[in-house]
Amino acid sequence: MNTLSPILKRPKLEHKNDDDDDNNNNNKEDDNNSNHGEEEEEEEDNRQEQEDALVALIEHRTKEVDHLRLRISYYTSQLDEAEKRLQYSQSQLARLRGRDNVLPSKSSLANGTKRVKVEGRSSSPVCISEGSSKSPPQSRIELLTVNPKSSQRIKSSGSGTKAPTSSSYQASPFILTNSDIKARSEKYRRASFNGEVVEIQDRESKRKFEQNEHKELIPLVRNSSSPLTIHCHTSNYISSQHKRKLRCLSLCPANEQLFLTSALDGLVNLWQLQSKGSSATLLSTTDCVSPVQRRWPEDITWHPRGDSLFCAYTADAGDSQISVINLNKTQGRARVTFLEDKPHVKGIINSIIFLPWENACFVTGGSDHAVMLWNESDVENLWKPKALHKNLHSSAVMGVAGMQQKQIVLSAGADKRIFGFDANVGRVHFKHQIESKCMSVIPNPCDFNMFMVQTGTPERQIRLFDIRLRQTEIHAFGWKQESSESQSALINQAWSPDGLSITSGSADPVIHIFDIRHNAQKPSQSVRAHQKRVFKAVWHFSYPLLISVSSDLNVGMHKIA
């Protein structure tokens, strides 16, 4: 029995080993299945990550394509407008050449005299250059002599007047070389327009506007979930040369190189852009304080010709209410003249603006609740006012403007009312009543049915309206101020040339930019631009440039794209 015991036990051991082998095999299969499952899960994760990355990339490139399409559309429209302007100028030149063929041009060029040509949209109000006998003048203007001691005038042959005699030329020669022209033009630029410069002729003729093409932008409002951002490449700051806080900033409508600033010191500075907006040079400084109270201009507007400025003051104490700054001062003419009529009865005249109509006229809105329309009479520099309305507003009129397609004058008041008054028929066209006081109104430059109103509601400072809709705002957006909760009427807005974006100043040292296509109420971006609050930032109509003014007494030049 003892000898058989090891033999009897062995099969049991072998059976145990077989079970161990089976267990090991099962464990290996489980490990293989587990590893295979992990590999599949890892592969799925990698595929998901790649898919997410591609989706994000597609979204980014879709935005990039949309952005480029918008830029193409913008520059295409700009090209079309530029071609129209070119064709218009060419047709004017053709008409002038046709008229010159009838005039005895050879006799007017006797004794070696040469015709003087003035280029349109010059970089300065003074632009005199040599031209041959085959080059006619490009605009009907009157050129004063370059010699400050002489009062003689050279008139372009297009005006139909006789040329001066040869003896007068001997007394005061006017045949200039290119170097003389450049030197004397620079002299006049530095002389702050105190000498004799270009004066516009034929003042009785009606002003013809270069009408913009109407574009339907209202359907685009709040139509996008992502805004189009603007990139500010460089910023350059120059001293405003003012001693007190700035009040106004405005670009010249007839010369892309010029803009003005004014301040509480009563001075109006005229600037000329250099190097396509990289910097600016001060051309002239004019003291424009009112004669009685020594008040500064509350608001300033350019004459559409770009040769004069109109300033609004106050109606208190019998002070003068409107002054005219003649940028083309000549001998025997005052640089600043005050209009005799004083139609406003009390308080500050808050707003003055020329209307975009064929006949040159401007409108003023004052603290006396009145809106006045000023038309030019037959007498030079004589403007006559008439009341459009005096009792529609129950408080101060803060902003006025004109629509392009109809003779409608907009007015926005501190009484929370917005009126559209039809000046042609003399009655109210529409009225809006909102929950907050209004401080300014600005029509869209491209969509003639849309206008913007600044209000006093925080984070809803800007409202968009359609003149065809009653009691309905298209969109409302704004910003939250960090330094102050109060909304100042000195903070102003401006439209971009394409009518799709708005810039606004702020009590903070930033420029807020809004894309009207964005469906959000906050700014699409905010650019820190100054050391103190920003009053206004305007878009240049030719250069990729924003110009801003601030309480820090600097003018900012911001290159954008």
Side-chain angles (χ1 to χ4, degrees), residues 266-317:
L267 301 179
V268 175
N269 288 344
L270 183 65
W271 300 86
Q272 179 179 353
L273 292 174
Q274 304 291 336
S275 304
K276 294 184 178 181
S278 298
S279 62
T281 302
L282 180 63
L283 294 179
S284 68
T285 297
T286 306
D287 189 347
C288 296
V289 294
S290 62
V292 177
Q293 292 187 307
R294 308 296 293 171
R295 292 274 299 185
W296 57 83
E298 296 289 344
D299 194 20
I300 301 177
T301 185
W302 287 87
H303 191 286
R305 289 194 306 252
D307 63 342
S308 57
L309 304 171
F310 286 65
C311 307
Y313 298 87
T314 178
D316 293 334

Short mmCIF file of all heavy atoms in Angstrom, two decimals, residues 266-317:
data_model
loop_
_atom_site.label_atom_id
_atom_site.label_comp_id
_atom_site.label_asym_id
_atom_site.label_seq_id
_atom_site.Cartn_x
_atom_site.Cartn_y
_atom_site.Cartn_z
N GLY A 266 -11.47 128.16 -26.85
CA GLY A 266 -12.00 129.01 -27.91
C GLY A 266 -11.24 128.96 -29.21
O GLY A 266 -11.57 129.68 -30.15
N LEU A 267 -10.22 128.12 -29.28
CA LEU A 267 -9.40 128.03 -30.49
C LEU A 267 -9.88 126.91 -31.39
O LEU A 267 -10.30 125.84 -30.92
CB LEU A 267 -7.93 127.78 -30.12
CG LEU A 267 -7.27 128.84 -29.23
CD1 LEU A 267 -5.83 128.44 -28.94
CD2 LEU A 267 -7.33 130.22 -29.88
N VAL A 268 -9.81 127.13 -32.69
CA VAL A 268 -10.10 126.12 -33.69
C VAL A 268 -8.81 125.87 -34.47
O VAL A 268 -8.27 126.79 -35.09
CB VAL A 268 -11.23 126.56 -34.64
CG1 VAL A 268 -11.42 125.53 -35.75
CG2 VAL A 268 -12.53 126.74 -33.87
N ASN A 269 -8.32 124.65 -34.42
CA ASN A 269 -7.08 124.28 -35.11
C ASN A 269 -7.41 123.51 -36.38
O ASN A 269 -8.23 122.59 -36.37
CB ASN A 269 -6.20 123.41 -34.20
CG ASN A 269 -5.57 124.21 -33.08
OD1 ASN A 269 -5.54 125.44 -33.12
ND2 ASN A 269 -5.07 123.53 -32.07
N LEU A 270 -6.73 123.88 -37.46
CA LEU A 270 -6.87 123.20 -38.74
C LEU A 270 -5.62 122.35 -38.96
O LEU A 270 -4.50 122.86 -38.88
CB LEU A 270 -7.05 124.21 -39.87
CG LEU A 270 -7.27 123.63 -41.26
CD1 LEU A 270 -8.60 122.88 -41.33
CD2 LEU A 270 -7.24 124.74 -42.32
N TRP A 271 -5.83 121.06 -39.28
CA TRP A 271 -4.74 120.10 -39.41
C TRP A 271 -4.69 119.53 -40.81
O TRP A 271 -5.71 119.41 -41.48
CB TRP A 271 -4.91 118.95 -38.41
CG TRP A 271 -4.92 119.37 -36.98
CD1 TRP A 271 -6.00 119.81 -36.25
CD2 TRP A 271 -3.81 119.38 -36.08
NE1 TRP A 271 -5.63 120.09 -34.96
CE2 TRP A 271 -4.29 119.83 -34.82
CE3 TRP A 271 -2.46 119.04 -36.20
CZ2 TRP A 271 -3.46 119.95 -33.71
CZ3 TRP A 271 -1.64 119.16 -35.10
CH2 TRP A 271 -2.14 119.62 -33.87
N GLN A 272 -3.47 119.15 -41.20
CA GLN A 272 -3.28 118.47 -42.48
C GLN A 272 -2.59 117.13 -42.22
O GLN A 272 -1.55 117.07 -41.56
CB GLN A 272 -2.42 119.31 -43.43
CG GLN A 272 -2.17 118.62 -44.77
CD GLN A 272 -1.35 119.47 -45.71
OE1 GLN A 272 -1.08 120.63 -45.42
NE2 GLN A 272 -0.95 118.91 -46.83
N LEU A 273 -3.20 116.05 -42.74
CA LEU A 273 -2.62 114.72 -42.58
C LEU A 273 -1.34 114.60 -43.39
O LEU A 273 -1.22 115.16 -44.48
CB LEU A 273 -3.61 113.65 -43.03
CG LEU A 273 -4.86 113.47 -42.16
CD1 LEU A 273 -5.81 112.47 -42.82
CD2 LEU A 273 -4.49 113.00 -40.77
N GLN A 274 -0.41 113.84 -42.86
CA GLN A 274 0.85 113.57 -43.53
C GLN A 274 1.03 112.06 -43.66
O GLN A 274 0.64 111.30 -42.78
CB GLN A 274 2.03 114.16 -42.75
CG GLN A 274 1.92 115.65 -42.48
CD GLN A 274 2.05 116.48 -43.73
OE1 GLN A 274 2.65 116.04 -44.71
NE2 GLN A 274 1.49 117.68 -43.72
N SER A 275 1.65 111.63 -44.77
CA SER A 275 1.99 110.22 -44.99
C SER A 275 0.79 109.31 -44.80
O SER A 275 0.85 108.30 -44.10
CB SER A 275 3.13 109.79 -44.05
OG SER A 275 4.25 110.62 -44.22
N LYS A 276 -0.33 109.70 -45.40
CA LYS A 276 -1.57 108.91 -45.37
C LYS A 276 -2.04 108.61 -43.96
O LYS A 276 -2.52 107.52 -43.65
CB LYS A 276 -1.39 107.61 -46.16
CG LYS A 276 -1.18 107.83 -47.65
CD LYS A 276 -1.12 106.51 -48.39
CE LYS A 276 -0.94 106.76 -49.90
NZ LYS A 276 -0.90 105.49 -50.67
N GLY A 277 -1.88 109.59 -43.10
CA GLY A 277 -2.41 109.46 -41.75
C GLY A 277 -1.42 109.02 -40.71
O GLY A 277 -1.82 108.78 -39.56
N SER A 278 -0.16 108.91 -41.05
CA SER A 278 0.83 108.54 -40.04
C SER A 278 1.04 109.65 -39.02
O SER A 278 1.38 109.40 -37.87
CB SER A 278 2.16 108.18 -40.71
OG SER A 278 2.02 107.08 -41.56
N SER A 279 0.83 110.89 -39.45
CA SER A 279 0.98 112.03 -38.56
C SER A 279 0.15 113.18 -39.13
O SER A 279 -0.52 113.03 -40.15
CB SER A 279 2.45 112.44 -38.43
OG SER A 279 2.98 112.84 -39.69
N ALA A 280 0.19 114.32 -38.48
CA ALA A 280 -0.56 115.50 -38.93
C ALA A 280 0.22 116.75 -38.57
O ALA A 280 0.96 116.78 -37.58
CB ALA A 280 -1.95 115.53 -38.31
N THR A 281 0.05 117.78 -39.39
CA THR A 281 0.73 119.06 -39.20
C THR A 281 -0.32 120.14 -38.94
O THR A 281 -1.34 120.20 -39.63
CB THR A 281 1.54 119.43 -40.46
OG1 THR A 281 2.49 118.39 -40.73
CG2 THR A 281 2.27 120.74 -40.24
N LEU A 282 -0.06 120.98 -37.96
CA LEU A 282 -0.95 122.09 -37.65
C LEU A 282 -0.80 123.18 -38.70
O LEU A 282 0.29 123.72 -38.89
CB LEU A 282 -0.65 122.63 -36.25
CG LEU A 282 -1.51 123.80 -35.78
CD1 LEU A 282 -2.97 123.39 -35.67
CD2 LEU A 282 -1.01 124.34 -34.45
N LEU A 283 -1.89 123.51 -39.40
CA LEU A 283 -1.85 124.52 -40.44
C LEU A 283 -2.19 125.91 -39.91
O LEU A 283 -1.56 126.89 -40.28
CB LEU A 283 -2.83 124.16 -41.56
CG LEU A 283 -2.52 122.91 -42.39
CD1 LEU A 283 -3.59 122.71 -43.43
CD2 LEU A 283 -1.15 123.04 -43.05
N SER A 284 -3.21 126.00 -39.08
CA SER A 284 -3.63 127.32 -38.60
C SER A 284 -4.36 127.18 -37.29
O SER A 284 -4.91 126.13 -36.96
CB SER A 284 -4.52 128.02 -39.64
OG SER A 284 -5.77 127.34 -39.73
N THR A 285 -4.36 128.27 -36.54
CA THR A 285 -5.11 128.37 -35.28
C THR A 285 -5.91 129.65 -35.32
O THR A 285 -5.37 130.72 -35.59
CB THR A 285 -4.16 128.37 -34.07
OG1 THR A 285 -3.46 127.12 -34.02
CG2 THR A 285 -4.93 128.56 -32.78
N THR A 286 -7.21 129.55 -35.05
CA THR A 286 -8.11 130.71 -35.12
C THR A 286 -8.82 130.87 -33.79
O THR A 286 -9.40 129.92 -33.27
CB THR A 286 -9.14 130.53 -36.24
OG1 THR A 286 -8.47 130.26 -37.47
CG2 THR A 286 -9.99 131.77 -36.38
N ASP A 287 -8.76 132.07 -33.25
CA ASP A 287 -9.48 132.39 -32.02
C ASP A 287 -10.93 132.69 -32.38
O ASP A 287 -11.22 133.66 -33.08
CB ASP A 287 -8.83 133.60 -31.34
CG ASP A 287 -9.39 133.83 -29.94
OD1 ASP A 287 -10.42 133.22 -29.60
OD2 ASP A 287 -8.80 134.63 -29.19
N CYS A 288 -11.85 131.88 -31.88
CA CYS A 288 -13.25 131.98 -32.27
C CYS A 288 -14.18 132.26 -31.09
O CYS A 288 -15.37 131.92 -31.15
CB CYS A 288 -13.70 130.68 -32.96
SG CYS A 288 -12.84 130.35 -34.49
N VAL A 289 -13.68 132.85 -30.01
CA VAL A 289 -14.55 133.13 -28.88
C VAL A 289 -15.60 134.15 -29.27
O VAL A 289 -15.37 135.04 -30.11
CB VAL A 289 -13.74 133.63 -27.66
CG1 VAL A 289 -12.84 132.53 -27.14
CG2 VAL A 289 -12.95 134.87 -28.02
N SER A 290 -16.80 134.05 -28.67
CA SER A 290 -17.90 134.96 -29.00
C SER A 290 -17.60 136.36 -28.47
O SER A 290 -16.88 136.52 -27.47
CB SER A 290 -19.20 134.43 -28.41
OG SER A 290 -19.13 134.36 -27.00
N PRO A 291 -18.15 137.39 -29.08
CA PRO A 291 -17.76 138.77 -28.73
C PRO A 291 -18.25 139.24 -27.37
O PRO A 291 -17.61 140.10 -26.76
CB PRO A 291 -18.38 139.60 -29.86
CG PRO A 291 -19.49 138.76 -30.39
CD PRO A 291 -19.05 137.35 -30.23
N VAL A 292 -19.37 138.73 -26.86
CA VAL A 292 -19.94 139.25 -25.61
C VAL A 292 -19.48 138.43 -24.41
O VAL A 292 -18.82 138.94 -23.51
CB VAL A 292 -21.48 139.26 -25.69
CG1 VAL A 292 -22.08 139.74 -24.36
CG2 VAL A 292 -21.95 140.15 -26.83
N GLN A 293 -19.80 137.15 -24.41
CA GLN A 293 -19.48 136.31 -23.26
C GLN A 293 -18.14 135.60 -23.37
O GLN A 293 -17.75 134.89 -22.46
CB GLN A 293 -20.58 135.27 -23.06
CG GLN A 293 -21.91 135.84 -22.62
CD GLN A 293 -22.90 134.74 -22.28
OE1 GLN A 293 -23.14 133.84 -23.07
NE2 GLN A 293 -23.46 134.81 -21.09
N ARG A 294 -17.47 135.79 -24.49
CA ARG A 294 -16.17 135.13 -24.73
C ARG A 294 -16.32 133.61 -24.59
O ARG A 294 -15.54 132.93 -23.94
CB ARG A 294 -15.11 135.64 -23.76
CG ARG A 294 -14.97 137.14 -23.70
CD ARG A 294 -14.49 137.71 -25.02
NE ARG A 294 -13.13 137.30 -25.32
CZ ARG A 294 -12.52 137.50 -26.49
NH1 ARG A 294 -13.19 138.09 -27.47
NH2 ARG A 294 -11.27 137.11 -26.68
N ARG A 295 -17.37 133.07 -25.23
CA ARG A 295 -17.66 131.65 -25.16
C ARG A 295 -16.96 130.91 -26.29
O ARG A 295 -16.71 131.45 -27.37
CB ARG A 295 -19.17 131.42 -25.27
CG ARG A 295 -19.98 131.92 -24.10
CD ARG A 295 -20.05 130.90 -22.99
NE ARG A 295 -20.68 129.65 -23.43
CZ ARG A 295 -20.94 128.64 -22.61
NH1 ARG A 295 -20.62 128.74 -21.33
NH2 ARG A 295 -21.50 127.53 -23.05
N TRP A 296 -16.66 129.66 -26.04
CA TRP A 296 -16.08 128.78 -27.05
C TRP A 296 -17.20 128.21 -27.93
O TRP A 296 -18.36 128.17 -27.53
CB TRP A 296 -15.33 127.64 -26.37
CG TRP A 296 -16.22 126.87 -25.43
CD1 TRP A 296 -17.09 125.86 -25.73
CD2 TRP A 296 -16.34 127.08 -24.02
NE1 TRP A 296 -17.75 125.43 -24.61
CE2 TRP A 296 -17.31 126.15 -23.55
CE3 TRP A 296 -15.73 127.96 -23.12
CZ2 TRP A 296 -17.66 126.08 -22.19
CZ3 TRP A 296 -16.10 127.88 -21.78
CH2 TRP A 296 -17.05 126.95 -21.33
N PRO A 297 -16.86 127.76 -29.13
CA PRO A 297 -17.87 127.10 -29.98
C PRO A 297 -18.34 125.79 -29.34
O PRO A 297 -17.53 124.95 -28.95
CB PRO A 297 -17.14 126.84 -31.29
CG PRO A 297 -16.00 127.81 -31.30
CD PRO A 297 -15.60 127.96 -29.87
N GLU A 298 -19.66 125.64 -29.23
CA GLU A 298 -20.23 124.41 -28.69
C GLU A 298 -20.20 123.28 -29.72
O GLU A 298 -20.05 122.12 -29.38
CB GLU A 298 -21.67 124.65 -28.23
CG GLU A 298 -21.80 125.64 -27.09
CD GLU A 298 -21.28 125.09 -25.76
OE1 GLU A 298 -21.11 123.86 -25.66
OE2 GLU A 298 -21.04 125.88 -24.84
N ASP A 299 -20.38 123.63 -30.98
CA ASP A 299 -20.36 122.64 -32.05
C ASP A 299 -19.92 123.34 -33.33
O ASP A 299 -20.13 124.55 -33.50
CB ASP A 299 -21.75 122.02 -32.23
CG ASP A 299 -21.71 120.75 -33.09
OD1 ASP A 299 -20.62 120.16 -33.22
OD2 ASP A 299 -22.77 120.36 -33.62
N ILE A 300 -19.30 122.57 -34.23
CA ILE A 300 -18.75 123.13 -35.47
C ILE A 300 -19.11 122.20 -36.62
O ILE A 300 -19.09 120.98 -36.48
CB ILE A 300 -17.21 123.29 -35.39
CG1 ILE A 300 -16.82 124.21 -34.23
CG2 ILE A 300 -16.65 123.84 -36.70
CD1 ILE A 300 -15.33 124.36 -34.05
N THR A 301 -19.44 122.78 -37.77
CA THR A 301 -19.69 122.00 -38.98
C THR A 301 -18.95 122.62 -40.16
O THR A 301 -18.75 123.84 -40.21
CB THR A 301 -21.20 121.92 -39.29
OG1 THR A 301 -21.40 121.06 -40.41
CG2 THR A 301 -21.77 123.30 -39.59
N TRP A 302 -18.52 121.77 -41.09
CA TRP A 302 -17.87 122.24 -42.32
C TRP A 302 -18.92 122.65 -43.34
O TRP A 302 -19.96 122.01 -43.48
CB TRP A 302 -17.04 121.12 -42.95
CG TRP A 302 -15.77 120.78 -42.25
CD1 TRP A 302 -15.59 119.91 -41.22
CD2 TRP A 302 -14.46 121.28 -42.57
NE1 TRP A 302 -14.28 119.84 -40.87
CE2 TRP A 302 -13.55 120.67 -41.69
CE3 TRP A 302 -13.98 122.19 -43.52
CZ2 TRP A 302 -12.19 120.93 -41.72
CZ3 TRP A 302 -12.61 122.45 -43.55
CH2 TRP A 302 -11.73 121.82 -42.66
N HIS A 303 -18.64 123.72 -44.08
CA HIS A 303 -19.40 123.96 -45.30
C HIS A 303 -19.07 122.83 -46.28
O HIS A 303 -17.92 122.39 -46.34
CB HIS A 303 -19.03 125.32 -45.91
CG HIS A 303 -19.96 125.75 -47.00
ND1 HIS A 303 -19.94 125.19 -48.26
CD2 HIS A 303 -20.96 126.69 -47.02
CE1 HIS A 303 -20.87 125.76 -49.01
NE2 HIS A 303 -21.51 126.68 -48.27
N PRO A 304 -20.05 122.33 -47.04
CA PRO A 304 -19.77 121.21 -47.96
C PRO A 304 -18.65 121.48 -48.95
O PRO A 304 -18.01 120.53 -49.42
CB PRO A 304 -21.11 121.00 -48.68
CG PRO A 304 -22.13 121.51 -47.73
CD PRO A 304 -21.48 122.66 -47.01
N ARG A 305 -18.38 122.75 -49.26
CA ARG A 305 -17.26 123.05 -50.16
C ARG A 305 -15.92 122.88 -49.48
O ARG A 305 -14.88 122.82 -50.14
CB ARG A 305 -17.39 124.48 -50.70
CG ARG A 305 -18.51 124.71 -51.69
CD ARG A 305 -18.32 126.05 -52.39
NE ARG A 305 -18.18 127.15 -51.46
CZ ARG A 305 -19.10 128.08 -51.24
NH1 ARG A 305 -20.26 128.01 -51.87
NH2 ARG A 305 -18.90 129.06 -50.39
N GLY A 306 -15.91 122.88 -48.15
CA GLY A 306 -14.67 122.71 -47.42
C GLY A 306 -13.85 123.97 -47.28
O GLY A 306 -12.71 123.92 -46.82
N ASP A 307 -14.42 125.16 -47.62
CA ASP A 307 -13.66 126.40 -47.56
C ASP A 307 -13.99 127.25 -46.34
O ASP A 307 -13.41 128.31 -46.15
CB ASP A 307 -13.89 127.22 -48.83
CG ASP A 307 -15.35 127.64 -48.99
OD1 ASP A 307 -16.22 127.02 -48.33
OD2 ASP A 307 -15.62 128.57 -49.77
N SER A 308 -14.94 126.81 -45.51
CA SER A 308 -15.31 127.59 -44.34
C SER A 308 -15.90 126.69 -43.27
O SER A 308 -16.32 125.56 -43.55
CB SER A 308 -16.32 128.69 -44.71
OG SER A 308 -17.46 128.13 -45.31
N LEU A 309 -15.90 127.20 -42.04
CA LEU A 309 -16.44 126.49 -40.88
C LEU A 309 -17.52 127.33 -40.23
O LEU A 309 -17.41 128.56 -40.16
CB LEU A 309 -15.32 126.21 -39.87
CG LEU A 309 -14.10 125.44 -40.36
CD1 LEU A 309 -13.01 125.45 -39.30
CD2 LEU A 309 -14.46 124.02 -40.74
N PHE A 310 -18.57 126.67 -39.74
CA PHE A 310 -19.67 127.35 -39.07
C PHE A 310 -19.73 126.87 -37.62
O PHE A 310 -19.80 125.66 -37.36
CB PHE A 310 -20.98 127.06 -39.79
CG PHE A 310 -21.13 127.79 -41.09
CD1 PHE A 310 -20.29 127.52 -42.17
CD2 PHE A 310 -22.10 128.77 -41.26
CE1 PHE A 310 -20.41 128.19 -43.37
CE2 PHE A 310 -22.24 129.45 -42.46
CZ PHE A 310 -21.39 129.17 -43.51
N CYS A 311 -19.69 127.82 -36.68
CA CYS A 311 -19.64 127.51 -35.25
C CYS A 311 -20.92 127.98 -34.57
O CYS A 311 -21.45 129.04 -34.89
CB CYS A 311 -18.44 128.20 -34.59
SG CYS A 311 -16.86 127.89 -35.40
N ALA A 312 -21.39 127.18 -33.60
CA ALA A 312 -22.58 127.52 -32.83
C ALA A 312 -22.18 127.83 -31.39
O ALA A 312 -21.29 127.17 -30.83
CB ALA A 312 -23.59 126.37 -32.87
N TYR A 313 -22.85 128.82 -30.78
CA TYR A 313 -22.48 129.26 -29.44
C TYR A 313 -23.68 129.15 -28.49
O TYR A 313 -24.18 128.06 -28.26
CB TYR A 313 -21.96 130.70 -29.49
CG TYR A 313 -20.70 130.86 -30.32
CD1 TYR A 313 -20.78 131.07 -31.70
CD2 TYR A 313 -19.44 130.78 -29.74
CE1 TYR A 313 -19.62 131.21 -32.47
CE2 TYR A 313 -18.29 130.91 -30.50
CZ TYR A 313 -18.39 131.13 -31.87
OH TYR A 313 -17.25 131.26 -32.62
N THR A 314 -24.14 130.28 -27.96
CA THR A 314 -25.23 130.32 -27.00
C THR A 314 -26.15 131.48 -27.32
O THR A 314 -25.75 132.44 -27.99
CB THR A 314 -24.69 130.45 -25.56
OG1 THR A 314 -25.78 130.53 -24.64
CG2 THR A 314 -23.84 131.70 -25.41
N ALA A 315 -27.39 131.39 -26.82
CA ALA A 315 -28.36 132.47 -27.04
C ALA A 315 -28.50 133.37 -25.83
O ALA A 315 -29.30 134.30 -25.85
CB ALA A 315 -29.72 131.87 -27.40
N ASP A 316 -27.75 133.15 -24.79
CA ASP A 316 -27.86 133.95 -23.57
C ASP A 316 -27.14 135.29 -23.72
O ASP A 316 -26.16 135.42 -24.47
CB ASP A 316 -27.27 133.19 -22.38
CG ASP A 316 -28.10 131.96 -22.03
OD1 ASP A 316 -29.31 131.97 -22.33
OD2 ASP A 316 -27.54 130.99 -21.48
N ALA A 317 -27.63 136.29 -22.96
CA ALA A 317 -27.01 137.61 -22.86
C ALA A 317 -26.87 138.33 -24.19
O ALA A 317 -26.01 139.19 -24.36
CB ALA A 317 -25.63 137.48 -22.19
#
